[in-house]
Amino acid sequence: MPPESFTMRIESIVLRELKMRLKAPFETSSEVTWDRRVLLIEAGADGVRGWGEITAAENPFYNAETTDTAWHVVRDFMVPLVLGKSVASATEIQSLLDPIRGHEMAKAGVENAIWDIEAQQKGLPLARLLGGTLPEVPCGVSIGIQDSIATLLAKIDSELRAGYQRVKLKIKPGKDLAIVAAVRQHYPEIKLMVDANSAYRLEQIELLRAFDQYDLMMIEQPLAWDDIYQHALLQAQLRTPICLDECIHNPSHADAAINMGACRIINIKLGRVGGHTQAKQVHDICVRNSIPVWCGGMLESGIGRAHNIAMSALPGFVLPGDVSASQRYWEEDIIEPEVEVSSAGTIRVPETPGLGYDIRRKRVEELTVRQEHWHP
Ligand code: OSB
Ligand code: MG
């Protein structure tokens, strides 16, 4: 039985940077990633350890955060705000960090580690503590920009054989309509979507309207990373649903985007919206407005992936997400068991307390290139 008045005193924080090489380079409209600089938070409260991942990229080409800005903000501003504090629930971390503007991914790493602790202390799977109900989550894949259509078709073929339920293609100007046309011709029936990562301008409306002929589930973030209004102008002229990714940093952005008609689908990324508390709020707004959601990915290690799976058990996550098997990214992940996807294209939500995966501490240490440790 959990004690009547439950509190967690945050008595230690460890920040680590791991160097992890992806199995293959991943290309979007704005960058190519091969060596990931993964930041992990390990928090301790009342003898229990919880883990979170900061999903910032190495450079500020997806959002404004980077590995190094996150390190700076955690060390110089977040640790002093949370270390030694007692909280009754992980949601309170959000208010402790509230004075800090932006830096959602850094905040999420810290807050999510405390969620892991709370779930362990209460003996609940994190998914259940968050309010998740789904026993398994549907999975798709995000395929980076490829050198040739032949290579892309071969990749799609192997992902479909593995069971993945939908395919997302990264696109950019010059690598867009012809590629989508070729894929659609080979696979007339598959659930297909594209992600532009903000590579287009509203003036390219004719090109963007041409996507309407390919029966796409959605076009993700075609316009500027911070411009909801222009997406509303575009959505009014597109039949294909727009899905916002980069634009949505908090519940208020989701509310604005939905009310403006800027999107018909939202991709929720835990890091981008500042952690589980705000992710759940964005989810709830979407459910109230009949906007389907799915879980996006940031090429996470197993720890970020485990948090994504827990969040994806919330009932509004009705579309296949970008959360896929550990083996698609890493020769060896840092959790065990690794994340596996069934032949039906689903991941089972763990039923053991906390994240539901063990941390391979030895592997974490081997991959660590720097760390800092704080006690009150
Ligand atoms: O826009 O969804 C995106 C990866 C890095 C940065 C942005 C995005 C992505 C992905 C990959 O699409 C998702 C994944 O497989 O983790
Ligand atoms: Mg995206």
Side-chain angles (χ1 to χ4, degrees), residues 102-113:
H103 300 284
E104 290 85 2
M105 290 172 160
K107 287 178 179 172
V110 173
E111 186 193 301
N112 292 352

Side-chain angles (χ1 to χ4, degrees), residues 168 170 195 197 220 245-246 267 269:
K168 162 168 137 181
K170 292 288 188 180
D195 185 358
N197 289 109
E220 186 178 344
D245 174 354
E246 282 89 331
N267 158 348
K269 287 184 182 166

Side-chain angles (χ1 to χ4, degrees), residues 26 62 142 168 170 195 197 245 269 297-299 322 329:
F26 186 84
Y62 167 80
S142 172
K168 162 168 137 181
K170 292 288 188 180
D195 185 358
N197 289 109
D245 174 354
K269 287 184 182 166
M298 290 297 296
L299 309 173
D322 278 348
Y329 303 84

Side-chain angles (χ1 to χ4, degrees), residues 79-110:
V79 168
L81 287 172
V82 302
L83 194 66
K85 297 280 164 55
S86 290
V87 292
S89 150
T91 58
E92 291 178 15
I93 298 296
Q94 225 223 320
S95 16
L96 293 178
L97 297 178
D98 190 55
I100 299 170
R101 304 286 189 257
H103 300 284
E104 290 85 2
M105 290 172 160
K107 287 178 179 172
V110 173

Side-chain angles (χ1 to χ4, degrees), residues 20-38:
M20 292 181 75
R21 168 158 285 203
L22 290 163
K23 277 187 167 173
F26 186 84
E27 181 173 351
T28 71
S29 63
S30 50
E31 59 183 319
V32 180
T33 307
W34 197 354
D35 284 312
R36 293 275 1 261
R37 297 175 63 194
V38 172

Side-chain angles (χ1 to χ4, degrees), residues 141 166-171 180 184 190-195 214-221 240 243 265 267 294 319-322:
V141 288
R166 73 99 171 97
V167 170
K168 162 168 137 181
L169 308 176
K170 292 288 188 180
I171 54 165
V180 174
R184 202 28 124 196
I190 60 169
K191 289 184 179 163
L192 185 64
M193 59 173 288
V194 294
D195 185 358
Y214 299 115
D215 188 28
L216 301 178
M217 293 176 85
M218 67 196 93
I219 174 167
E220 186 178 344
Q221 195 71 36
T240 308
C243 170
I265 298 173
N267 158 348
W294 54 278
L319 298 174
D322 278 348

Side-chain angles (χ1 to χ4, degrees), residues 130-139 165 266-270 272-273 276 278-284 286-287 291-297 307-323 349:
L130 293 167
T133 53
L134 307 176
E136 53 185 30
V137 303
C139 311
Q165 298 185 11
I266 288 180
N267 158 348
I268 302 183
K269 287 184 182 166
L270 260 174
R272 198 196 65 226
V273 303
H276 283 298
Q278 290 212 130
K280 189 170 157 59
Q281 290 166 353
V282 171
H283 162 274
D284 293 350
C286 290
V287 169
I291 296 288
V293 304
W294 54 278
C295 179
H307 277 284
N308 286 341
I309 293 165
M311 173 178 77
S312 301
L314 292 172
F317 283 80
V318 294
L319 298 174
D322 278 348
V323 183
V349 178

